[in-house]
Amino acid sequence: MLVTGGLGFVGSHVCVALAEAGYDIVALDNLANARLSVLARLREIAGRRISFVRADVRDGRALAQVFRRRPVAAVLHFAGLKAVHESVAQPLEYYDTNVGGTLTLLRAMRQHDVRRLVFSSSCTVYGAPESLPLTETHPLRPANPYGRTKMIAEGLIADCAAAWPELKYALLRYFNPVGAHPSGRIGEDPLGVPNNLFPYIAQVAVGRRAKLNVWGGDYDTQDGTGVRDYIHVMDLAAGHVAALARLESQPESFTVNLGTGRGYSVLEVVKTFERVCGRPIPYEIRERRAGDLAQSWADATLAERLLGWRARYGLEDMCRDAWRWQSLNPDGYPERPVSAAETRRRRSRRRS
Ligand code: UDP
C-alpha cells in the first residue's frame, strides 16, 4: 500500500491499522505538517517495517519511482492541506496541493497501472446541511475553498475512473476525527494555536493554554453551542481497512460517510473531557466564528451496509485517548516540522 500523507494525524493512525491487517506499507510525506519522529513510533506500535519516502505528492517523479521500485496494489491518499480558515487566505496553495496533488497521483497511478484508490475526503463537501443527518446524496455545496478542493478532487477521481474503468475508488467523507492511538505514542499535534476543538481543549487541560474560547453560545442547539459528529481516529482507521477490503472483494467504486451518526455540543465535549482528565477546563463563550455551522452529523448507515463497519468508540473514549496522548506528550512530538527550504540549507551546510 502507498499511503500519501502517511505521517500526518489521520494517515499515521491508518498506517497502524493497515499494518495490523497485514499490509506492507510505504508512507510518503513531505513533512510540511508532520514530524519525522512519527515514523519510529509508528514502527514501534505496528511491530513491522514501514518504508518511508520523503516527497511531495505533487512530485510525479518521486511517485513514479515508488511505483517502479515495488508492487503497489492500492493508494490511500491523505496528503493535503486541511485548515478551512487558511484556505480562504491561501486558495492557490490549497488548489495546488489538494487538487494538483490528486491529479499528479492519478497520472502516476494510470502510468503504472495502480488500480485502487482510497481518498480522504470530508463532510465539508456538503456545506450547510439542508437536512440532518447528512446522507451521501445530500447536495455538494462547500462553503469555503478547502471544501471545494475536496469536492473537485472527488470529481477528478470519478472522471478518471469513467475514462479508465479499471480504476476503482472509495471516497471517504470524514466527519470530525479526534482522539489518538490508545498507546498515547501518536496523536494530533497541530502547529501553532490549534483551530480545532479537541487539540485546543487538550492543550488547556495540560496547562499550555489558559482557557478555551467557545465560538458561539447562541446557536439553535440544545445548549447554544455548535454540534459535531466526532469520530475516534482509530474507528476512522478501521473504516479505511474495511473500505480497502471492500474494493478488493467487490471491485466497485463507492462514496461513504465515516461518522458515528450522533452529534455532541462543545459544552458536552468540555464536560466529558473534564471528567476524564480530572481537571477543570476554563472556558469563555465568545462571538460565533465566521463560517461555522450550527450543527452537523452523519447518516452512517451506508458505511455499515456497504462495509460492515460502524464506529465502536464513544465520546468518553475519544476524550480519554486524546488526553493520554496530550498528557504523555505535553509539547507534542519532540521536534518541529522541517521545511524543505530548511532541509536544503542544512544539506548545503553539511556539504561545505
Ligand atoms: N470550537 C470552539 N472553540 C475552539 C475550536 C472549536 O468553540 O477553539 C467549536 C466550533 O465552533 C465547532 C466545534 O467546536 O462548533 C468543532 O470545531 P472544529 O474546528 O474542531 O471542527 P469544524 O468546525 O471544522 O467542524
Side-chain angles (χ1 to χ4, degrees):
M1 301 292 118
L2 171 64
V3 182
T4 75
L7 302 192
F9 173 45
V10 178
S12 60
H13 288 80
V14 171
C15 282
V16 174
L18 288 171
E20 274 168 11
Y23 292 107
D24 285 328
I25 299 164
V26 182
L28 177 135
D29 205 302
N30 68 356
L31 300 181
N33 191 25
R35 316 333 177 222
L36 196 54
S37 54
V38 175
L39 188 61
R41 294 183 179 202
L42 261 184
R43 287 174 175 157
E44 156 204 314
I45 301 169
R48 61 191 289 147
R49 199 179 147 62
I50 294 175
S51 309
F52 175 65
V53 176
R54 179 176 179 178
D56 194 294
V57 71
R58 292 164 295 181
D59 181 347
R61 270 200 220 161
L63 293 174
Q65 214 169 54
V66 172
F67 291 144
R68 265 200 307 270
R69 280 197 185 153
R70 48 201 126 201
V72 173
V75 178
L76 293 97
H77 178 35
F78 300 94
L81 302 174
K82 60 168 185 179
V84 170
H85 298 274
E86 190 181 65
S87 77
V88 176
Q90 300 174 25
L92 294 175
E93 281 78 359
Y94 273 70
Y95 280 88
D96 190 24
T97 304
N98 294 1
V99 178
T102 305
L103 190 141
T104 306
L105 176 64
L106 283 165
R107 193 179 277 139
M109 288 175 67
R110 179 79 179 96
Q111 269 162 6
H112 296 86
D113 203 29
V114 178
R115 300 174 169 193
R116 297 289 177 270
L117 175 62
V118 177
F119 178 60
S120 164
S121 191
S122 163
C123 63
T124 320
V125 296
Y126 298 122
E130 284 175 4
S131 56
L132 287 166
L134 283 157
T135 61
E136 289 81 357
T137 53
H138 185 283
L140 304 186
R141 293 200 193 98
N144 51 64
Y146 165 69
R148 282 189 281 276
T149 63
K150 286 291 179 188
M151 182 183 75
I152 292 168
E154 284 193 358
L156 178 58
I157 294 166
D159 284 344
C160 285
W164 175 33
E166 288 78 19
L167 175 67
K168 303 295 177 196
Y169 62 84
L171 306 179
L172 305 184
R173 295 182 179 152
Y174 312 157
F175 280 67
N176 288 55
V178 300
H181 188 268
S183 65
R185 296 290 286 156
I186 57 172
E188 188 171 13
D189 182 19
L191 261 187
V193 182
N195 281 311
N196 296 114
L197 182 66
F198 261 73
Y200 205 109
I201 292 182
Q203 292 191 7
V204 172
V206 84
R208 272 172 71 180
R209 304 194 183 271
K211 65 170 189 304
L212 170 72
N213 297 305
V214 175
W215 304 128
D218 57 354
Y219 284 110
D220 186 15
T221 59
Q222 68 263 33
D223 59 22
T225 65
V227 168
R228 296 290 183 276
D229 184 340
Y230 299 98
I231 172 168
H232 195 298
V233 66
M234 294 311 296
D235 271 335
L236 195 64
H240 288 72
V241 176
L244 202 55
R246 163 95 189 185
L247 284 180
E248 283 168 357
S249 65
Q250 267 164 292
E252 269 165 45
S253 301
F254 58 91
T255 301
V256 287
N257 289 334
L258 292 182
T260 65
R262 87 156 278 189
Y264 289 99
S265 75
V266 175
L267 293 183
E268 282 178 300
V269 175
V270 169
K271 293 297 156 218
T272 308
F273 210 103
E274 281 181 331
R275 210 173 43 246
V276 162
C277 74
R279 301 176 178 193
I281 310 287
Y283 67 85
E284 193 177 323
I285 308 265
R286 307 285 294 269
E287 289 293 299
R288 293 180 181 191
R289 184 167 70 175
D292 265 1
L293 304 171
Q295 40 190 3
S296 160
W297 64 88
D299 180 327
T301 52
L302 182 63
E304 181 157 10
R305 244 192 356 245
L306 223 54
L307 310 178
W309 169 92
R310 67 189 298 177
R312 295 166 47 214
Y313 298 111
L315 183 59
E316 198 149 315
D317 305 304
M318 302 179 209
C319 292
R320 185 199 56 228
D321 291 335
W323 173 238
R324 186 180 298 111
W325 152 254
Q326 192 71 62
S327 52
L328 290 174
N329 306 271
D331 298 312
Y333 288 109
E335 88 283 11
R336 307 319 299 162
V338 182
S339 69
E342 178 56 26
T343 309
R344 277 195 299 275
R345 270 197 298 277
R346 286 186 194 177
R347 274 200 201 124
S348 72
R349 244 182 275 139
R350 265 201 306 266
R351 274 198 297 269
S352 61

